[in-house]
């Protein structure tokens, strides 16, 4: 079954065609990095306008790359939640129109579940039950996963997401978009131990996260206490300062993510580990998780980097399992932020 997937939950407009939940026939992503660069981040209204301009050309490109015509699409899947409401609406509206016009089923996909499904599309099926670490721009969560459609929440961030923290730190260091990769790149040349930033562990045994204090500590480290937006604009750093600060910051985030994931594995006795979401591209995080899994005798299923960042292949892939489970959406389905 060939499913057309549509994703527009934040700043990427993406369409893909996936066969039987596994074979990616095409995957097209139109990013808004140039807009984000110009406006210093994602501006929801601008993002929505860009989605409107991109959605049809991106959909057509996905069909062309798959060697298909509209009439060959057997179902349409779309992210309906979570995300920026205006941005979600563009994808949902396009998906409803396609589903109605082609008279094929519509499948409403949860973006977070789709990120975790990336692990299934990246290699052999994960060993279950698995502890799943979802790290994106908007979410940082740990789950106990029993299958592609079954995840019990173990813990989540109480404030900022890990990706959001990377993005803020990058803007303090005046790095260019896309932020996460720019931080990881800058950190390559730095000494992770030269800047010791705080780690928030919360309560003993807690599997929740907090990154807002780390962000503030980064600001103070770079510009002193009481720093303002203007100070960031006027700041001039040496390349060494940027590299060390980026490395110290990355180390602090990775440290917390890895230790809490290890705690989740031990607490649940899970036999597998799943990693998904944009921050999952981070090489230091991936290496540390692999090492932990080796030590604990757990099978690591890390979503491949190209499927970690927002894309529609994971949407169309997961939708196959939803369809098989009879989870088809009515045309009245609504987007939810
Ligand atoms: O999953 P995603 O593409 O979008 C959301 O659902 O939010 O994740 C985007 C996040 C951004 O915050 C970005 O800075 C972060 O993933 N990111 C990274 C890296 N690549 C992307 N963070 C750290 N290291 C990276 N290499
Ligand atoms: Zn995402």
């Amino acid at each position: 079954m060939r499913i057309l997937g549509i994703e527009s939950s934040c700043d990427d407009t993406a369409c893909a065609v996936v066969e039987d939940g596994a074979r990616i026939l095409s995957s097209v992503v139109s990013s808004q990095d140039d807009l984000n660069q110009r406006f210093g981040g994602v501006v929801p209204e601008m993002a929505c306008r860009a989605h409107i301009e991109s959605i049809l050309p991106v959909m057509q490109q996905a069909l062309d790359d798959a060697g298909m015509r509209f009439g060959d699409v057997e179902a349409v899947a779309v992210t309906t939640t979570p995300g920026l409401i205006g941005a979600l609406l563009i994808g949902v509206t396009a998906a409803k129109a396609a589903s109605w016009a082609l008279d094929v089923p519509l499948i409403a996909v949860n973006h977070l579940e789709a990120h975790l499904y990336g692990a299934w599309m990246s290699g052999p099926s994960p060993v279950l039950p698995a502890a799943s670490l979802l790290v994106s721009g908007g979410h940082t969560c740990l789950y106990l996963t029993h299958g592609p459609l079954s995840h019990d929440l173990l813990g989540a961030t109480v404030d900022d997401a890990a990706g959001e923290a990377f993005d803020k730190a990058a803007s303090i260091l005046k790095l260019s978009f896309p932020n996460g990769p720019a931080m990881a790149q800058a950190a390559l040349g730095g000494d992770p131990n030269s800047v010791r930033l705080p780690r928030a562990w919360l309560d003993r045994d807690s599997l929740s996260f907090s990154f807002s204090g780390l962000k503030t500590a980064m600001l103070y480290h770079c510009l002193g206490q009481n720093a303002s937006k203007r100070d960031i604009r006027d700041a001039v750093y040496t390349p060494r300062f940027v590299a060390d600060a980026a490395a110290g910051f990355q180390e602090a985030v990775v440290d917390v993510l890895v230790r809490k994931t290890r705690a989740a594995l031990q607490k649940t006795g899970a036999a597998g580990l799943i990693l998904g979401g944009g921050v999952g591209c981070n090489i230091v995080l991936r290496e540390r998780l692999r090492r932990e899994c080796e030590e604990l005798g757990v099978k690591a299923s890390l979503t491949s980097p190209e499927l970690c960042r927002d894309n529609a292949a994971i949407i169309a892939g997961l939708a196959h399992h939803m369809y098989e489970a009879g989870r088809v959406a009515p045309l009245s389905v609504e987007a939810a932020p």
Side-chain angles (χ1 to χ4, degrees):
M1 181 179 205
R2 288 178 292 181
I3 299 183
L4 170 69
I6 300 174
E7 155 65 41
S8 68
S9 64
C10 188
D11 58 336
D12 293 312
T13 316
C15 292
V17 180
V18 175
E19 191 170 49
D20 298 336
R23 217 159 76 80
I24 301 170
L25 302 184
S26 66
S27 181
V28 181
V29 181
S30 167
S31 89
Q32 299 180 7
D33 289 338
D34 49 343
L35 266 183
N36 299 341
Q37 178 75 43
R38 196 138 47 100
F39 294 98
V42 179
V43 180
E45 180 62 26
M46 308 292 287
C48 297
R49 285 165 193 249
H51 281 309
I52 293 173
E53 284 172 11
S54 307
I55 190 83
L56 292 179
V58 168
M59 200 185 287
Q60 187 63 58
Q61 188 67 49
L63 290 173
D64 290 349
D65 289 356
M68 288 166 57
R69 288 168 303 128
F70 263 106
D72 299 325
V73 170
E74 290 164 277
V76 179
V78 64
T79 300
T80 52
T81 192
L84 300 171
I85 186 64
L88 287 165
L89 272 173
I90 314 298
V92 170
T93 306
K96 285 183 183 179
S99 159
W100 180 75
L102 300 169
D103 195 21
V104 296
L106 177 67
I107 302 156
V109 177
N110 179 304
H111 180 84
L112 305 183
E113 285 185 4
H115 268 309
L116 296 180
Y117 186 67
W120 271 266
M121 299 179 82
S122 303
S125 286
V127 172
L128 302 172
S132 296
L133 176 64
L134 169 70
V135 267
S136 68
H139 296 85
T140 303
C141 310
L142 275 166
Y143 300 91
L144 183 62
T145 293
H146 307 281
L149 297 170
S150 174
H151 310 277
D152 298 328
L153 186 67
L154 300 171
T157 181
V158 296
D159 42 53
D160 296 344
E164 190 181 350
F166 264 106
D167 294 341
K168 293 273 164 54
S171 83
I172 294 168
L173 290 175
K174 302 173 82 164
L175 297 173
S176 57
F177 277 85
N179 275 331
M183 280 289 282
Q185 181 67 31
L188 280 177
D191 173 3
N193 300 313
S194 69
V195 181
R196 176 81 193 171
L197 294 167
R199 281 83 162 139
W201 302 112
L202 304 173
D203 293 339
R204 222 172 92 82
D205 299 335
S206 167
L207 295 178
S208 303
F209 301 88
S210 166
F211 292 107
S212 70
L214 174 61
K215 205 177 64 187
T216 308
M218 182 72 169
L219 180 66
Y220 290 174
H221 168 71
C222 293
L223 296 163
Q225 293 208 11
N226 307 319
S228 67
K229 273 196 171 156
R230 190 194 181 93
D231 295 323
I232 297 178
R233 223 172 30 234
D234 297 342
V236 180
Y237 308 114
T238 65
R240 161 96 353 237
F241 181 90
V242 171
D244 286 343
F249 182 88
Q250 177 175 258
E251 188 66 15
V253 175
V254 168
D255 214 15
V256 172
L257 293 176
V258 170
R259 280 166 66 171
K260 297 240 173 205
T261 304
R262 186 187 171 95
L265 284 165
Q266 289 175 320
K267 198 169 178 171
T268 58
L273 168 78
I274 288 172
L275 172 70
V279 183
C281 293
N282 189 278
I283 288 168
V284 176
L285 174 63
R286 297 174 76 86
E287 278 172 6
R288 289 270 301 274
L289 286 174
R290 271 205 199 95
R291 230 184 300 148
E292 292 290 331
C293 284
E294 256 175 53
E295 225 177 278
L296 295 172
V298 164
K299 172 81 172 65
S301 296
L302 312 184
T303 300
S304 59
E306 59 278 13
L307 290 176
C308 276
R309 276 201 67 178
D310 283 351
N311 67 86
I314 54 174
I315 307 301
L318 182 63
H320 176 80
H321 295 268
M322 297 181 68
Y323 180 78
E324 295 224 304
R327 288 174 55 184
V328 169
L331 281 175
S332 58
V333 68
E334 292 190 21

